Every structure is written in C-alpha cells, then in structure tokens.
Amino acid sequence: MTTFGMAEAELPAIVIETPPKRALGDLAVPVAFELARRLRKAPRAIAQELAATIPAIEGISRVDAAANGYLNFYLDRATFLRARLAADPPAAGEAGGKVIVEHTAINPNKAAHIGHLRNSALGDTLVRALRFQGRPVEVQNYIDDTGVQVADVVVGFIELEHRTLAEVKALANNGQPFDYYCWDLYARVTEWYEADKARLSLRAHALHAIEEGGNAMAEMGAFIADRIVRCHLKTMARMNVDYDLLTWEGDILRLQFWATAFEQLKQRQSIFLQTEGKLAGCWVMPIEDANAPAAAEGEDDPEQKEKVIVRSNGTVTYVGKDIANQFWKFGLLGKDFHYRVFEPRNGNPLWATTAGTGVTTGVPSFGRASAVYNVIDSRQAYLQQLLKQALAQMGFAKEADSSTHFSYEMVALSHATARALGYADTEADGKPFVEVSGRKGLGVKADDLLDRLIATARDEVSKRNPELAAADAQRTAEAIAVAAVRYFLVKFTRGKVIAFDIEEALSFEGETGPYIQYAVVRANNIFAKLQEREGLTEAQVVAQLADLGRAAIESGDDGDELWALVLEAARLDEVVDASVRSLELSVLAKFAFGLAQAFNAFYHRQPILREERADARLWRAAGVAYARRQLARALDLMGCTVPTRM
C-alpha cells in the first residue's frame, strides 16, 4: 500500500471473494472499501489507483477496477489448466504431527450391521482426507473383547447350548458364518435374561471371569472375539476399509494400563471413592457437564452427577479403560503395548496389541499422537467428554483440546428397503423409518446388505452390457455397490438420522455414488474414443496445449462454461480442507456430486469427438481430463473405485 503512504501496521486485511458472475473475474478483492474510510476517498477511485499500480502477477491475465469499487482478478485460464494437468497429486508429507483416527470398534460378539458401516465409512473417509492433506495418520480399531457383549455370548454357549470350548471351535470351523450364528445367539440370550432378571448374575460372573483371565470362560471369550474380529475384517475389506492397529481392550487390563492411569487419576484427585448412596464402594469421576446424563452402577440415574469408573465389585467400566487408552494414544501413560502381527492385509501386516512377548523387530511406532479422533456415535458424547475432562484435570490441556469426538447419528431403514429385506408391518409404529436393534436381532447384517446391492447392480450391469463376461460383471457390480453404500452414508450431515434405501443408493441418476462413477466412466469413454480415432492419449492432448490458440477457453459462452468446469474441479483441495475443519464429510460428497453434474451438463452442451475445430476439441478434452482426475480423486477419498464400464 505504498501508493497511499500507509505504514505496514495500518494495512487492512486482504479478503478474497468469488464474484457472482464469470464476467466479473475469478477473484474479487474488496480492499478499497476498507481503505475508503481511512483515506476518505471513493472506493472506485481507490480501486482504479490500485489496479494501475499492481505489477504483472504470474498466473493473472489482468486486474480490473469495477465500478462498485471491487478489484477483479482474471486468472490466466490456459496457464492454469496446463499447470493443473501437469501437476501430480499431492504426496503425503509430514505436515504436522501424527494423527490417530480410531473407528469401527464393533463389539466382537456378532456380525457387523448397517450402523457399523456408517462408522467405518465416515472414519475411513476422514483418514483419507487427512492423508490427502499430507498428515501422517495411524488408523486404529478398538476391540472390546472384555465387555458384556462377549460375556453374553459366552453365557449363551454355556447356559443355553451347553457347549464346551472345543465344541464352539468346531462350530466356528464348520464353514457356516460364525458371526451370523453369534448374532442369533446374542438375541436369544437377551430374551433369556428378560425372562428372568436373576440370570443377569451369570453375565456378571462371566464378565468378571473374562477380565480376570486364566480360566475356561476367558478362553472361550478370547476365541469368540478373535474369530468374530476376523469376520469383521473381511466385511470391512469389502468396503475398502483398512487399519494399522487392532487395540485389544483385554491387553489394557493385562498390561496394567488401567492400574497406571488409576493411580495418576487418584493422585490428581480426578476420581474418588464414593462411600454412600447407590454408588457406595465405586470409584467415580464427577461429571463437569451439568447437561450430561449421569451414570449409576447399573444404569443411568438423572439425580447422580458422577460416572462410575470402577464398580464396587472391582471391575473396571469401559470408561475407565477408554481413559487409559486415550492417555496411551497421546504417549502420556508411560507404558506401551507389546505387538503381534494379526494377519497380512493388502500386502502389509495388520498389527495387533498383545500382553505376551510380542514381536521384537519391525514394529511401527504406535501411539504418541498430536491429535486423536474417536469416531463413535452421538450416544457416547458425554463419555467422550469425560476423556477430555480426564486429560484436562491431569494437566494435559493441549491433548484435551486435541481430543476430538467425531460423532454421528444412527442408521435406520426406509420402509421399502425393510420390506425388501423381509421385515413385516414396517409402518405399524407410524415412524418414517424402521429402527434396528442388534441386541434384539433386528437389523441388516452388513454382508447381507452388500450381497443384495451387488446382486441388484449385477443385474443392471448385465442388462446394459450383455456381452460382458460374468467375472467382469461381478467386479463392476461390487464397485458400484460399495460406492452406493459409502456415498449414501457420507452424503448426509453426520447429525442426521439416515434411513437407508437400496433403490435410492443404487440409482444411476441423482445424488448417488453410481451417478458420480458414471460421470468418470463417461469421461474415460471420451478418451478411449479419442485414442481410437485420433491416436491421442491424455498426455498427448496436454502436450499440444502450449501451441494451441486460446480462444476456445478464453472467450465466449463456450469458453466461460469450460472454464467454469475447470475452476469447479480445482476446488477439491479447499473442499477437503473445509470437510476436515468442520468434520462434515458431506461437504466432500456434495462437491463430488456437483462436479459430476457440471461435467454432465458440459458433455451434453459441448461435444468433443464431434467438434470440428481442433483447438476447441483439444481444450475441451483437456477440461474433461482435469474434471475426470478430480472426480476420481474425490471418489477415492470416499473409498470408491471407478469401474471400466457401467
């Protein structure tokens, strides 16, 4: 601002806006309005003076002073597009400290259901978005192998079916889905408890035995959890979801993580032993949030403002174990797990914690994060708040601020989908959707849902491409089905209850994953035909841009529409940043859908293969190449692949 003789400290902030019309430029700067009050001059006059003194800027074709006082900047369209097509996708770097994202965390007592898919879809998309930004990310899946859900299945096998561990192993190895069997058994145990509440003492006994270890019940619980986790991993692999580390809750107890955290919390007086009332004999943490629901030893009590951390019988609640684990994630516990290879996964070992000797070489450096995201549904909000509270009370304010609960609402079913999946009287309760409950055995198993979607997609693909080999039709259908589910689960704001609908999710029209895939397939077909007819690859198209005239991209309505497509595609980086900052991944989904719409509109209005002018044909092809690249990257961020045809 030397033009006006202002000191650096007096300079106003430079705000950049997007003009309402393409004719008004690509960027608009209202700095003249800020200066007008200080210089006592009209904004238009100030803008004109600034425009006259701004030197040439690389990538900017011109700067105009608008009549209303804005400075309008026009990007060099040809240079911009060539640069974007020449650039490789950003490589992952060390942008900030390591981030831990914990997601999925399905209780290892039954098959995964549709609600779990929302958790993993959101968690995995967050992981991909952070890595897109260059952040190093460690993906953890917490395995609650010592919780009441596993204890209930153990009780079911022993009390209802009178099976030994050897018999349970034989059942698991008979070729039938073990997680499906346990799904039904868990529902039966729940009904069995409800018929006689005294039977809940068997749950308490099993829970204590599993936590203590070294007994028959603990061995059965460990086998059940291990086998169910392997089922879950296969389900999630179908969804293109992967992990770096499985953190087993039992190891937190066996390695005395909780005992260490317990002593630290007692020293800071963050918890205390309650000596009277319903919680007498329990170690509790006062709940600072007055709006949070209270938790008594067995159930929530609205009169109580204390959370049980250790029950009166000495067993640790999952909140206590979560606190110890959260301390470890930030490297604050002073202890570490031992590690073992759980199974090979995508050519790399999937690691798991262990209380045994573990592997001594080649183990990655787990934990010690600078930020932690726990992806878990909104019902756990106040418990996640307790983790932050515990960190803050221990003097770890920075870590408390960097501990984020990525919450989301439940998934239900549309009435049409519920009926298609075998539900009866879906509208009896008058609700606009059908709620599901794994505890009651009412729900849609994730694998069943994927199988149904794949079968439906395969029928449509075969109808459209009758010459396609069966194996190719299957691979295409799998890609379409995964995109249908993942996009549907991400496109809604996370605070919204979803009513999943198969027909809507699979549609090739509208706001769906397959619609976006189809846009990329259409763009791929354009380049396949370009190569077939003219022998031109994308690289060859890009190479010719430097010697082309610019009229096709810089002038007229057609040039403006092509440029609008390029600019919209270029927003991906800022959209990812906005999605991560707001933790609203629906922003990314909406962007991908909008870009697909813009591409399809462009495709219909501006032919490429039929365009006679070589320069216009090549500039349009270049714009399509960039839009295709950005759409494919957006789909990849949501865990979706692009089939060769649809």
Side-chain angles (χ1 to χ4, degrees), residues 567-634:
L567 270 190
E568 181 62 18
R571 292 183 54 236
L572 178 59
D573 290 46
E574 69 179 67
V575 166
V576 172
D577 290 345
S579 298
V580 172
R581 283 197 309 272
S582 64
L583 292 182
E584 275 297 355
L585 302 177
S586 58
V587 173
L588 172 62
K590 300 291 184 187
F591 163 79
F593 173 59
L595 181 56
Q597 282 184 307
F599 164 73
N600 284 327
F602 175 81
Y603 170 84
H604 287 296
R605 284 196 287 262
Q606 298 199 38
I608 296 170
L609 299 170
R610 292 184 287 107
E611 174 57 52
E612 295 181 356
R613 295 169 297 164
D615 60 336
R617 186 166 62 253
L618 291 174
W619 278 116
R620 290 174 188 177
V624 168
Y626 184 52
R628 174 180 68 167
R629 182 181 300 183
Q630 296 294 80
L631 276 173
R633 291 169 74 189

Side-chain angles (χ1 to χ4, degrees), residues 6-12 38:
M6 296 177 64
E8 184 175 346
E10 298 176 308
L11 299 180
R38 308 183 192 189

Side-chain angles (χ1 to χ4, degrees), residues 363-377:
V363 182
S365 178
F366 292 115
R368 294 182 283 278
S370 64
V372 172
Y373 293 89
N374 293 326
V375 183
I376 189 167
D377 71 63

Side-chain angles (χ1 to χ4, degrees), residues 105-219:
I106 309 171
N107 289 319
N109 69 317
K110 64 181 186 303
H113 59 62
I114 188 171
H116 299 132
L117 293 186
R118 188 175 196 189
N119 183 303
S120 59
L122 288 170
D124 184 64
T125 302
L126 175 62
V127 168
R128 292 166 183 263
L130 288 165
R131 286 176 174 163
F132 180 89
Q133 293 180 313
R135 300 293 300 274
V137 183
E138 179 177 304
V139 190
Q140 297 184 6
N141 184 357
Y142 187 85
I143 312 299
D144 182 6
D145 58 323
T146 63
V148 294
Q149 290 81 9
V150 173
D152 284 347
V153 176
V154 170
V155 169
F157 276 124
I158 293 175
E159 299 295 332
L160 273 66
E161 301 200 339
H162 311 292
R163 294 183 189 266
T164 64
L165 174 58
E167 291 170 330
V168 172
K169 288 182 176 180
L171 176 67
N173 293 326
N174 71 1
Q176 299 301 312
F178 186 63
D179 53 341
Y180 278 38
Y181 189 93
C182 291
W183 173 291
D184 295 332
L185 179 59
Y186 182 57
R188 287 166 52 205
V189 172
T190 299
E191 292 178 355
W192 189 68
Y193 287 149
E194 291 174 351
D196 184 354
K197 297 295 184 184
R199 293 168 176 166
L200 288 170
S201 62
L202 295 170
R203 169 198 276 174
H205 173 67
L207 184 63
H208 193 75
I210 289 171
E211 288 191 1
E212 188 177 73
N215 56 73
M217 279 189 162
E219 288 182 29

Side-chain angles (χ1 to χ4, degrees), residues 31 98 153 181 213 300-301 384 411 473 476 501 603 641:
V31 68
K98 180 172 72 175
V153 176
Y181 189 93
D300 288 347
D301 179 355
Q384 288 293 311
V411 180
T476 298
D501 185 86
Y603 170 84
T641 58

